[in-house]
Amino acid sequence: MTTDITKNNLSDHALIDRINQTETVFGKEMTIPAQFILQAEKDPENIAIEDNGRSITYHDLKKDSFKIAQFLNGQDVKTNDLVAVFADRNIEMIASILGIMEAGAAYVPIDPNYPMKRIQYMLSDCKCKIVITDSNNLEFLLQYADDYIETIVCLDKPGQIEIDRNLFSLDEIRKEYRSTKICLAKEDSLAYIIYTSGSTGNPKGVMIPQKAVMNTLLWLQSEFKLTKDDVIAQKTSAS
């Protein structure tokens, strides 16, 4: 009986060891923005995103994201700095997320549909100096923004509003910057910070590096092999 158990255990260990041999060699600097840029240069005129009757090509998405990245670098945003994204989900929000990572920084998604106290807590906890929002959420943001928020980017027209801090629109950024020379994130750079549900207390920010995201994405691609002809419905929120 003892001999049989030992043999079974050895067999189980061998099987587990074989299953866990999942190492794969990938190229250097495999990051989300680097891979996006490669795709944009490969198929610039392909549609990158469709949203409620609107669409944008990879070329134009890259152009917008580069300009946002340049703007952020011009605002002294450096590697692993945090930039909050408090906006409704649309094309411009995706451009801003890519732009943040292309600037070498990490984004902190804050869902406008969260309860007010949770939004206030997350804004206070992450202490981002720059917040990217839209006109639907700008007034709320200004109402609860603390002094540490120095600059706000509005992804559409902010309208006539009095504000005691720097306010830029995406249109202004598009006109001022030329979408060249950006500071890309590195493999070990943070990609984003996601907050937990807070079911056991206050929500806690979980830091996710670029290489962790790429590990998942590359595995998904090796298993499911998406092509440029595939379309994916994005049903979840950015947070």
Side-chain angles (χ1 to χ4, degrees):
M1 179 68 71
T2 304
T3 304
D4 289 342
I5 291 174
T6 303
K7 285 181 178 178
N8 287 338
N9 283 343
L10 285 172
S11 177
D12 289 345
H13 283 301
L15 178 61
I16 291 169
D17 184 61
R18 189 166 72 250
I19 290 172
N20 283 306
Q21 290 179 8
T22 59
E23 290 186 5
T24 305
V25 178
F26 296 115
K28 290 185 178 181
E29 299 305 335
M30 294 287 282
T31 64
I32 301 167
Q35 292 303 299
F36 166 71
I37 291 167
L38 283 175
Q39 184 63 36
E41 291 174 349
K42 182 180 176 183
D43 296 300
E45 300 309 317
N46 280 14
I47 298 298
I49 307 171
E50 290 185 350
D51 173 40
N52 290 320
R54 302 168 62 218
S55 65
I56 188 169
T57 64
Y58 278 98
H59 173 268
D60 289 341
L61 183 59
K62 175 187 161 189
K63 185 166 66 174
D64 271 358
S65 65
F66 269 35
K67 290 185 176 184
I68 291 169
Q70 281 186 299
F71 167 80
L72 293 173
N73 288 152
Q75 296 293 312
D76 205 30
V77 169
K78 298 183 179 66
T79 301
N80 290 336
D81 282 352
L82 304 180
V83 179
V85 179
F86 179 61
D88 294 327
R89 193 179 64 178
N90 57 24
I91 290 172
E92 288 74 22
M93 187 195 75
I94 299 298
S96 67
I97 286 174
L98 288 167
I100 291 167
M101 291 188 289
E102 287 163 358
Y107 69 96
V108 183
I110 302 177
D111 194 329
N113 294 313
Y114 281 157
M116 180 183 67
K117 287 186 178 180
R118 180 178 172 89
I119 293 172
Q120 286 178 279
Y121 173 80
M122 291 172 68
L123 285 170
S124 175
D125 187 64
C126 69
K127 289 183 169 52
C128 296
K129 293 181 180 180
I130 300 178
V131 179
I132 296 177
T133 189
D134 51 37
S135 58
N136 288 339
N137 301 291
L138 179 59
E139 190 172 341
F140 178 93
L141 178 65
L142 292 174
Q143 186 177 354
Y144 295 105
D146 288 332
D147 292 339
Y148 51 78
I149 299 177
E150 299 174 358
T151 301
I152 295 173
V153 176
C154 189
L155 294 173
D156 52 4
K157 296 186 187 306
Q160 298 297 319
I161 189 167
E162 292 187 8
I163 183 170
D164 60 352
R165 61 201 82 203
N166 298 323
L167 175 64
F168 298 88
S169 70
L170 181 56
D171 281 344
E172 290 176 311
I173 293 171
R174 282 171 173 154
K175 290 175 183 176
E176 185 173 348
Y177 293 89
R178 300 177 59 188
S179 70
T180 58
K181 196 178 181 181
I182 54 173
C183 173
L184 279 176
K186 304 297 183 183
E187 284 183 347
D188 292 322
S189 302
L190 285 180
Y192 53 81
I193 289 182
I194 292 286
Y195 276 79
T196 62
S197 63
S199 56
T200 58
N202 286 328
K204 296 173 180 63
V206 180
M207 298 184 291
I208 310 296
Q210 289 281 338
K211 62 183 178 183
V213 183
M214 287 307 305
N215 182 61
T216 301
L217 291 177
L218 291 168
W219 173 81
L220 286 168
Q221 180 62 14
S222 69
E223 289 294 312
F224 301 106
K225 293 182 173 43
L226 294 173
T227 72
K228 64 181 181 181
D229 298 318
D230 291 311
V231 178
I232 299 174
Q234 177 65 22
K235 62 184 181 64
T236 56
S237 71
S239 58

